[in-house]
């Protein structure tokens, strides 16, 4: 029998397809990469990347020679529960059950550099993470957890200096010398300006802070990772995988330059840089992204002439996707997280956090956190994945896809370089605009059922699921934190505190290392808010304009019965009211995650609404005032961090107080179903959870106006 070739396959495939054409099997990814139904050795003849060997440049196959065959990835569970004491209990339970490293989530008040008693954080204390006001809270957080033996990862960017200072001071209080402190501080402020928005200071002083931390840790904390360059929040904000890859590496380049400009030697800090990826549901794309990232970073760092090959190696933490978690048919999230965890492991991550299935509803319960943790333990202990290094290397499809990722990501990096680097690109709004466009396109495809999400737009459950959720009493936590704060301030030497705050202000104005002085300030019980305020006197507090894109959702949504119905209802409303329905989209409290708000704003505008967008971090009074001044029919509150139970009642009270009770209020985001009735009882007209179909929501909203 003669040897068969690709033409023989095409003939055979065409017979099986009958009336369908072969090119119907081709697929274009959201990144614009053309995927064929079949790959052969011809597809790996001219790769844009070098496959190489693990542990050796360009590290495509992993940063360690033996990878998981010698030591599996580190299992981290990202968590912070209201108070330091509660979080400490959770960490200790995790450590007893297979967790090998801690990953701390801070509450939004801490992220934004406010102490728990500040008037702007009434709904944010202890929500979405642990409240840290001083070194005393940090001492409680790690009580009984030896910091000379435990690796600690901290997701902190805005208030990174005072929080890291408190951590270091707490380690010293335990008797742990600086050189033995291990772990990672995220310290990635550039992505905050793009997507997550928990910044405090403007870009220029923020980059100085990054460099101060890199400088101090490289000299005095050799086992500590000074920065975790994060793509995670980009994908959470709607970025596709190519955007996440490109913009994260471009951020990395900017941090390299900042440290080098400080006079540091590249080999003194580059080996301690780490990365952080989101792992979503496009299985092979995620694996290819991680391999492409290692190759590309090696090529980027090579241009700075390092002598140590470890400077070329990209090490990464991964977390399964939060945005892929759905409120509808929530147990499906267990499966999604498992698939994403497998992609992270096969992609060669160094540590991993697996999300709990109920995080589309609320903070995880001990039950759901255990399932998430055990997902990793099963992958590590039962599957044989750890027995072979980079088992997918050489796959025709995967290597071709990796090269495509390299090519497409380099195009975006070139665009950034052409405008003068990432700081300049952020000032021009380029990455933010690209990511918001990607988010709108994806949502349009989901709403049009071109992209299937099981349990959401196809195979929907027929019975309601009751899921137990964790509920935090925000007021109780805040009162407890305020009480502890007052006790601290009455027992410390406030004259010494004032002296250190003046020193911080002086260092911010002049030369010197801000982390170094803040460690001394933290040891003397200066609070996170006080240290932040001292720097703010010099740097100012940064604000963003509330721009939205237009036309992208409308261009990508399929014309169907739902769209026809939206058009009919909009026209009917105009005929009745003499103008279009007008909605103000608001984010209240300190939650900077604005993907949902931006998506609703752009989509509803494309569907025919008049849209106003409030600035980030509004108070209820500020939101009510803007709604009244703009003469809106309805306020759409976007919430992800459990502040709705406090902030929405205050908003409705503010409207009534100003004789504007006729303005309707709706809520959307991560809201536990158990809270819906409470919101309806106080006057909320509609509540929409994750996975809501936007045209359907638009129709419901017009009907209540």
């Amino acid at each position: 029998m003669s040897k068969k070739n690709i033409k023989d396959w095409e003939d055979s495939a065409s017979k099986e397809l009958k009336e369908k054409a072969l090119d119907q099997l081709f697929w274009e990814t959201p990144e614009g990469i053309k995927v064929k139904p079949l790959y052969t050795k011809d597809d790996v003849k001219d790769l844009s990347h070098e496959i190489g060997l693990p542990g050796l440049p360009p590290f495509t196959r992993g940063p360690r020679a033996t990878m998981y065959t010698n030591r599996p990835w580190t299992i981290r569970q990202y968590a912070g529960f209201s108070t330091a004491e509660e979080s400490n209990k959770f960490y200790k339970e995790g450590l007893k059950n297979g967790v090998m490293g801690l990953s701390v989530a801070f509450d939004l008040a801490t992220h934004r550099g406010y102490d728990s008693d500040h008037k702007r954080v009434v709904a944010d204390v202890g929500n979405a993470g642990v409240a840290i006001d001083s070194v005393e809270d940090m001492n409680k957080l790690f009580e009984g957890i030896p910091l000379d033996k435990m690796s600690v990862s901290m997701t902190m960017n805005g208030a990174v200096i005072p929080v890291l200072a408190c951590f270091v001071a707490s380690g010293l209080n335990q008797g742990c010398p600086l050189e033995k402190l291990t772990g990672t501080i995220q310290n990635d402020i550039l992505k905050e300006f793009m997507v997550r928005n928990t910044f405090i200071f403007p870009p220029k002083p923020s980059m100085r802070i990054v460099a101060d931390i890199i400088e101090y840790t490289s000299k005095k904390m050799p086992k500590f990772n000074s920065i975790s360059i994060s793509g995670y929040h980009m994908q959470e904000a709607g970025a596709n995988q190519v955007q996440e890859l490109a913009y994260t590496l471009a951020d990395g380049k900017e941090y390299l330059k900042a440290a080098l400009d400080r006079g540091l030697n590249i080999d003194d800090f580059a080996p301690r840089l780490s990365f952080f990826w989101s792992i979503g549901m496009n299985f092979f794309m995620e694996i290819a992204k991680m391999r492409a990232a290692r190759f590309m970073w090696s090529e980027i760092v090579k241009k700075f002439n390092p002598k140590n090959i470890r400077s070329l190696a990209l090490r990464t933490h991964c977390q399964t996707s939060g945005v892929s978690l759905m409120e509808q048919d929530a147990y499906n999230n267990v499966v999604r997280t498992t698939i994403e965890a497998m992609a992270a492991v096969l992609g060669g991550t160094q540590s991993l956090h697996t999300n709990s299935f109920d995080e589309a509803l609320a903070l995880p319960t001990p039950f759901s956190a255990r399932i998430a943790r055990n997902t990793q333990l099963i992958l590590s202990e039962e599957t044989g994945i750890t027995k072979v290094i980079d088992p997918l290397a050489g796959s025709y499809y995967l290597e071709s896809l990796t090269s495509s990722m390299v090519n497409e990501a380099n195009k975006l990096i070139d665009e950034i370089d052409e405008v003068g680097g990432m700081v300049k690109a952020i000032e021009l709004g380029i990455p933010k605009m690209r990511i918001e466009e990607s988010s709108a396109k994806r949502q349009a495809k989901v709403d049009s059922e071109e992209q299937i999400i099981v349990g959401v737009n196809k195979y929907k459950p027929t019975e309601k699921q009751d899921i137990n959720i964790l509920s935090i009493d925000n007021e109780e936590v805040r009162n407890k934190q305020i009480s502890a704060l007052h006790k601290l301030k009455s027992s410390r030497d406030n004259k010494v505190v004032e002296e250190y705050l003046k020193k911080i202000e002086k260092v911010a104005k002049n030369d010197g290392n801000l982390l170094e002085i803040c460690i001394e300030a933290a040891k003397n019980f200066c609070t996170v808010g006080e240290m932040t305020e001292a720097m703010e006197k010099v740097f100012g507090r940064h604000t963003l304009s509330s721009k939205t894109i237009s036309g992208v959702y409308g261009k990508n949504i399929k014309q169907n019965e739902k769209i026809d119905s939206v058009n009919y209802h909009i026209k009917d409303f105009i005929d009745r009211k003499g103008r279009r329905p007008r909605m103000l989209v608001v984010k209240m409290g300190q939650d900077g995650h604005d993907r949902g708000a931006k998506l609703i704003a752009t989509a509803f505008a494309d569907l025919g609404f008049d849209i106003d967008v409030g600035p980030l971090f509004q108070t209820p009074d500020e939101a009510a005032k803007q709604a009244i001044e703009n003469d809106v029919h309805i306020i759409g509150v976007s919430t992800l961090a459990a502040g709705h139970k406090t902030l929405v009642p205050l908003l409705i009270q503010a409207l009534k107080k100003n004789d504007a009770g006729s303005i309707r209020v709706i809520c959307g985001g991560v809201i536990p179903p158990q809270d819906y009735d409470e919101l309806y009882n106080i006057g909320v007209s509609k509540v929409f959870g994750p996975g809501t179909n936007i045209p359907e929501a638009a129709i419901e909203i017009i009907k209540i106006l």
Side-chain angles (χ1 to χ4, degrees):
M1 186 179 284
S2 61
K3 191 175 180 182
K4 303 298 182 184
N5 56 33
I6 194 71
K7 181 67 173 63
D8 297 313
W9 173 81
E10 288 173 352
D11 291 341
S12 182
S14 295
K15 287 175 185 173
E16 289 181 14
L17 291 168
K18 296 177 182 174
E19 310 82 42
K20 286 199 296 188
L22 191 58
D23 60 11
Q24 287 181 262
L25 299 182
F26 285 70
W27 172 50
E28 183 172 311
T29 74
E31 295 77 13
I33 294 170
K34 304 285 194 302
V35 176
K36 303 189 296 183
L38 178 70
Y39 285 78
T40 69
K41 62 184 179 182
D42 290 338
D43 294 292
V44 295
K45 283 180 178 175
D46 299 303
L47 296 174
S48 302
H49 70 287
E50 182 186 334
I51 299 174
L53 291 166
L56 296 170
F59 298 102
T60 308
R61 301 190 65 184
R64 301 290 180 201
T66 55
M67 292 298 288
Y68 308 146
T69 61
N70 179 45
R71 189 181 72 184
W73 64 93
T74 299
I75 299 173
R76 293 190 186 275
Q77 285 305 93
Y78 177 57
F81 289 94
S82 62
T83 64
E85 293 93 336
E86 286 299 312
S87 298
N88 179 266
K89 286 179 193 172
F90 179 84
Y91 294 152
K92 285 177 175 173
E93 184 65 26
L95 293 170
K96 280 193 287 185
N97 289 281
V99 170
M100 297 175 282
L102 304 181
S103 189
V104 184
F106 298 95
D107 73 354
L108 292 165
T110 306
H111 273 289
R112 293 271 293 150
Y114 293 117
D115 287 335
S116 297
D117 59 356
H118 198 282
K119 63 183 181 181
R120 298 195 75 87
V121 298
V122 291
D124 300 299
V125 178
N127 276 336
V130 60
I132 298 292
D133 290 320
S134 73
V135 67
E136 292 286 84
D137 286 329
M138 205 67 88
N139 291 339
K140 294 170 190 170
L141 187 65
F142 297 112
E143 189 274 323
I145 299 172
L147 292 178
D148 59 342
K149 296 183 175 67
M150 183 56 58
S151 170
V152 178
S153 174
M154 292 175 283
T155 302
M156 178 53 61
N157 301 285
V160 63
I161 285 274
V163 168
L164 182 55
C166 288
F167 171 77
V168 173
S170 184
L172 293 170
N173 287 342
Q174 284 191 6
C176 174
L178 292 175
E179 59 270 20
K180 286 192 175 182
L181 283 171
T182 62
T184 304
I185 188 77
Q186 192 161 97
N187 192 29
D188 178 8
I189 200 62
L190 290 177
K191 69 99 174 41
E192 297 294 331
F193 294 112
M194 278 188 266
V195 289
R196 192 163 171 256
N197 300 316
T198 51
F199 47 74
I200 299 174
F201 312 118
K204 191 174 177 182
S206 294
M207 286 298 291
R208 181 234 169 130
I209 284 169
V210 170
D212 277 3
I213 291 170
I214 293 174
E215 179 184 52
Y216 184 90
T217 55
S218 67
K219 292 177 179 176
K220 299 190 178 184
M221 298 164 63
K223 291 185 175 182
F224 198 82
N225 299 322
S226 56
I227 190 167
S228 175
I229 307 156
S230 173
Y232 183 88
H233 302 97
M234 297 181 199
Q235 192 177 142
E236 291 294 284
N240 60 47
Q241 278 93 329
V242 165
Q243 290 170 338
E244 181 191 6
L245 171 61
Y247 295 149
T248 306
L249 296 183
D251 283 352
K253 278 175 70 176
E254 204 78 18
Y255 296 132
L256 286 177
K257 291 173 184 174
L260 292 169
D261 288 346
R262 183 60 64 88
L264 296 177
N265 183 297
I266 189 143
D267 290 322
D268 288 342
F269 68 90
R272 300 310 305 176
L273 302 182
S274 66
F275 286 76
F276 175 26
W277 305 115
S278 174
I279 305 297
M281 285 297 289
N282 195 337
F283 186 78
F284 290 104
M285 187 71 78
E286 293 292 7
I287 298 168
K289 176 186 77 183
M290 294 172 70
R291 302 175 88 252
R294 288 192 290 269
F295 170 78
M296 292 174 71
W297 184 245
S298 179
E299 294 294 295
I300 287 168
V301 179
K302 195 192 297 181
K303 293 173 182 173
F304 296 94
N305 302 312
K307 302 292 187 293
N308 181 359
I309 67 165
R310 303 312 306 172
S311 295
L312 304 171
L314 183 153
R315 297 168 302 110
T316 191
H317 172 69
C318 289
Q319 181 174 339
T320 58
S321 171
V323 78
S324 73
L325 302 176
M326 295 293 149
E327 177 191 42
Q328 302 93 328
D329 217 357
Y331 288 111
N332 288 345
N333 295 333
V334 176
V335 181
R336 292 186 179 106
T337 294
T338 303
I339 292 166
E340 292 164 354
M342 274 196 73
V345 170
L346 291 171
T349 191
Q350 278 60 71
S351 62
L352 177 62
H353 166 81
T354 34
N355 289 331
S356 301
F357 73 87
D358 51 0
E359 287 184 60
L361 308 168
L363 286 170
T365 63
F367 171 74
S368 65
R370 179 174 173 80
I371 293 173
R373 181 176 65 247
N374 286 352
T375 301
Q376 294 195 54
L377 290 169
I378 290 166
L379 284 174
S380 176
E381 302 286 349
E382 297 186 23
T383 63
I385 284 174
T386 60
K387 305 299 184 186
V388 177
I389 303 162
D390 193 23
L392 296 185
S395 156
Y396 300 145
Y397 174 42
L398 188 64
E399 299 296 0
S400 177
L401 192 57
T402 300
S403 272
S404 296
M405 293 285 284
V406 171
N407 293 335
E408 294 304 311
N410 275 327
K411 290 176 187 175
L412 292 182
I413 292 174
D414 289 344
E415 181 184 44
I416 299 299
D417 289 341
E418 283 166 13
V419 300
M422 189 50 104
V423 172
K424 187 64 179 174
I426 287 169
E427 289 171 351
L428 295 170
I430 294 170
K432 198 172 188 71
M433 179 184 68
R434 297 268 185 269
I435 291 169
E436 287 179 12
E437 285 174 351
S438 172
S439 176
K441 283 179 184 175
R442 181 186 183 276
Q443 188 63 44
K445 290 188 181 298
V446 171
D447 288 342
S448 300
E449 297 180 16
E450 290 179 70
Q451 182 172 336
I452 300 303
I453 300 176
V454 173
V456 176
N457 61 6
K458 198 173 183 180
Y459 312 115
K460 298 179 184 179
T462 54
E463 295 179 2
K464 187 181 176 184
Q465 294 175 335
D466 289 321
I467 295 172
N468 291 324
I469 62 154
L470 183 69
S471 181
I472 301 292
D473 188 334
N474 162 251
E475 191 172 348
E476 183 185 340
V477 174
R478 186 166 181 263
N479 288 337
K480 189 174 179 180
Q481 286 295 121
I482 291 172
S483 175
L485 258 177
H486 290 169
K487 186 178 176 182
L488 175 75
K489 289 179 179 181
S490 64
S491 62
R492 68 188 183 178
D493 189 332
N494 284 298
K495 188 178 176 184
V496 172
V497 166
E498 284 303 314
E499 287 172 2
Y500 273 107
L501 294 176
K502 284 174 183 171
K503 287 179 183 178
I504 293 170
E505 195 177 337
K506 187 179 177 182
V507 172
K509 278 180 187 170
N510 305 298
D511 292 330
N513 192 289
L514 280 163
L515 178 57
E516 187 168 31
I517 185 61
C518 283
I519 289 170
E520 294 305 311
K523 285 160 63 177
N524 285 278
F525 306 105
C526 294
T527 69
V528 168
E530 289 168 337
M531 289 186 271
T532 302
E533 191 177 348
M535 289 184 279
E536 191 180 338
K537 285 177 181 175
V538 180
F539 299 149
R541 191 171 273 265
H542 187 63
T543 56
L544 277 181
S545 61
S546 301
K547 293 179 182 174
T548 57
I549 59 169
S550 62
V552 176
Y553 181 89
K555 185 180 174 184
N556 286 275
I557 190 77
K558 247 186 196 175
Q559 194 68 35
N560 55 27
E561 288 179 11
K562 289 176 189 172
I563 301 300
D564 291 340
S565 181
V566 173
N567 293 336
Y568 168 80
H569 282 93
I570 292 276
K571 185 178 180 302
D572 178 65
F573 186 92
I574 295 169
D575 290 343
R576 289 186 288 113
K577 304 284 189 176
R579 61 183 178 123
R580 295 178 181 278
R582 190 174 189 100
M583 180 163 69
L584 171 66
V585 179
V586 301
K587 291 283 299 182
M588 297 184 291
Q590 299 305 307
D591 175 25
H593 293 86
D594 62 349
R595 176 182 185 266
K598 287 290 185 70
L599 189 57
I600 289 298
T602 187
F604 272 62
D606 287 355
L607 291 173
F609 283 66
D610 282 335
I611 295 293
D612 297 297
V613 182
L616 286 169
F617 316 122
Q618 279 187 306
T619 65
D621 283 337
E622 290 164 348
K625 184 173 182 258
Q626 185 180 358
I628 294 163
E629 288 175 350
N630 291 9
D631 192 23
V632 304
H633 300 102
I634 192 163
I635 301 173
V637 178
S638 174
T639 176
L640 285 100
H644 55 275
K645 291 170 72 171
T646 303
L647 296 167
V648 175
L650 291 173
L651 173 64
I652 291 171
Q653 287 173 27
L655 291 170
K656 288 177 177 175
K657 190 170 65 180
N658 289 280
D659 298 320
S662 61
I663 297 176
R664 299 295 188 101
V665 175
I666 61 171
C667 295
V670 180
I671 302 172
Q674 291 88 330
D675 291 353
Y676 283 24
D677 285 343
E678 187 177 334
L679 291 171
Y680 288 137
N681 289 336
I682 62 164
V684 172
S685 298
K686 286 284 181 182
V687 182
F688 301 98
T692 294
N693 181 284
I694 289 178
E696 288 177 4
I699 295 165
E700 286 188 57
I701 289 166
I702 298 171
K703 285 180 176 178
I704 65 173
L705 294 178

